[in-house]
Amino acid sequence: MSRRSNRTPVEGSSAGRNEAFELEEQNDRQLEGLSAKVSALHSVSINIHDEVDVQNRLLDGSADTFNRFGTMFDRTRHQLNHTLATANKKFLCYLTLVLVFGVFGLYYFGKTLLSRLFGSHEIPEA
């Protein structure tokens, strides 16, 4: 940016007109640069707004999913409490044995299946 001199250009002189024209061109170039920067900021702010909308929709969907899971979990807990309150001791013993053997059976089945698919050297021992 050029510095302005303290003297004012004489109205009729060609040097004064040239200096005024040069200053006007310089202002136009800076205005174009500023306009480009404002346009870039505008597009960035629009992109940020769009991304915030997408993230808000994602969070709303997650909240709905967790609420449904919580409702389902409460219902299951209530049913289990009701079953435990009304069942006899012999039934609870059988249910516990079935669950314990079921978990171990699934573990053994999964470990056997994975060792056959991938080989025993790739499965770390627990």
Side-chain angles (χ1 to χ4, degrees):
M1 181 182 251
S2 68
R3 296 177 62 190
R4 283 181 107 174
S5 62
N6 288 338
R7 62 189 176 119
T8 59
V10 179
E11 286 290 321
S13 73
S14 65
R17 284 191 298 248
N18 286 341
E19 185 179 349
F21 182 72
E22 191 177 308
L23 289 174
E24 189 67 31
E25 282 182 343
Q26 195 175 29
N27 282 342
D28 288 343
R29 284 191 303 270
Q30 289 179 354
L31 190 60
E32 287 173 2
L34 186 61
S35 175
K37 290 177 184 178
V38 168
S39 295
L41 283 175
H42 182 259
S43 66
V44 167
S45 66
I46 287 174
N47 289 341
I48 289 173
H49 180 266
D50 292 343
E51 185 64 28
V52 166
D53 284 344
V54 167
Q55 295 296 324
N56 282 339
R57 277 187 258 127
L58 179 68
L59 287 174
D60 290 342
S62 297
D64 292 342
T65 302
F66 281 117
N67 285 337
R68 285 193 307 266
F69 175 75
T71 302
M72 194 169 54
F73 182 75
D74 287 341
R75 189 179 321 128
T76 303
R77 185 179 49 85
H78 175 69
Q79 289 174 350
L80 181 63
N81 285 338
H82 178 70
T83 302
L84 292 176
T86 58
N88 60 22
K89 301 295 182 193
K90 192 174 186 181
F91 174 74
L92 290 178
C93 182
Y94 289 138
L95 179 64
T96 303
L97 286 173
V98 166
L99 289 175
V100 168
F101 284 116
V103 167
F104 282 118
L106 284 174
Y107 172 76
Y108 177 75
F109 177 73
K111 185 175 177 182
T112 304
L113 182 66
L114 288 175
S115 67
R116 287 184 183 168
L117 289 175
F118 299 111
S120 62
H121 63 279
E122 293 183 16
I123 299 175
E125 291 295 321

